[in-house]
Amino acid sequence: MALHMIKLVVGAATIEDLLDWRAGHAGPGDPWILRTRMTPKRGAEMVDGGSIYRVFKGVILCRQRILAVNTVGEGAAARCEITLDEQIVRVAPTPRRAFQGWRYLEACDAPPDLDAEAFGEAPEELARQLREIGAW
């Protein structure tokens, strides 16, 4: 069973904001690398089918598959680089309280993926409001 990671998104309010940031900070063919201070002890479990679930303004909205977990540097300067799949998969919006850093997320606690056709072209904010009132 895959182990996932959950992390707050800082500086982006929507998935589109995150993609815009990515477009402005990465060159063609650059891998999507998430840098963190601490290397997960269970990193091998996350590479085996795990994803990073992203929390935007208190709600999990999407995930990306984890391709590699590597430690770079040594001693106090050591950092973790997590290589992610370029594809972002939208998930059922799930409330999540704020926390610092990242946390493990067991597969049984992960929100289900949304069907791409079910999401359609509706603006994200409208879709969120419709789901909150149970109309979608």
Side-chain angles (χ1 to χ4, degrees):
M1 193 178 250
L3 180 66
H4 306 293
M5 174 186 278
I6 185 168
K7 186 163 178 36
L8 299 178
V9 175
V10 178
T14 65
I15 296 171
E16 288 72 24
D17 289 345
L18 179 65
L19 291 171
D20 289 345
W21 176 87
R22 167 76 176 154
H25 286 83
D30 286 350
W32 193 317
I33 296 178
L34 171 71
R35 291 174 176 85
T36 67
R37 188 165 48 118
M38 303 298 292
T39 299
K41 291 179 174 42
R42 299 173 66 186
E45 293 175 67
M46 292 191 301
V47 173
D48 188 24
S51 292
I52 180 166
Y53 284 78
R54 297 185 182 265
V55 180
F56 295 82
K57 292 188 170 186
V59 180
I60 302 170
L61 294 179
C62 66
R63 70 176 179 87
Q64 285 176 275
R65 195 166 49 93
I66 296 173
L67 303 176
V69 177
N70 299 303
T71 302
V72 295
E74 295 180 17
R79 297 288 183 258
C80 178
E81 290 186 348
I82 301 170
T83 306
L84 303 172
D85 188 4
E86 291 290 326
Q87 181 183 7
I88 292 181
V89 178
R90 293 175 188 267
V91 299
T94 307
R96 185 69 179 219
R97 288 185 163 196
F99 56 90
Q100 291 185 342
W102 54 264
R103 300 286 184 267
Y104 292 117
L105 181 66
E106 297 293 335
C108 60
D109 297 326
D113 293 350
L114 283 179
D115 181 10
E117 288 88 37
F119 189 77
E121 295 297 320
E124 190 171 308
E125 181 62 20
L126 174 61
R128 182 189 63 76
Q129 291 174 354
L130 288 171
R131 283 188 292 269
E132 282 179 358
I133 64 170
W136 191 343

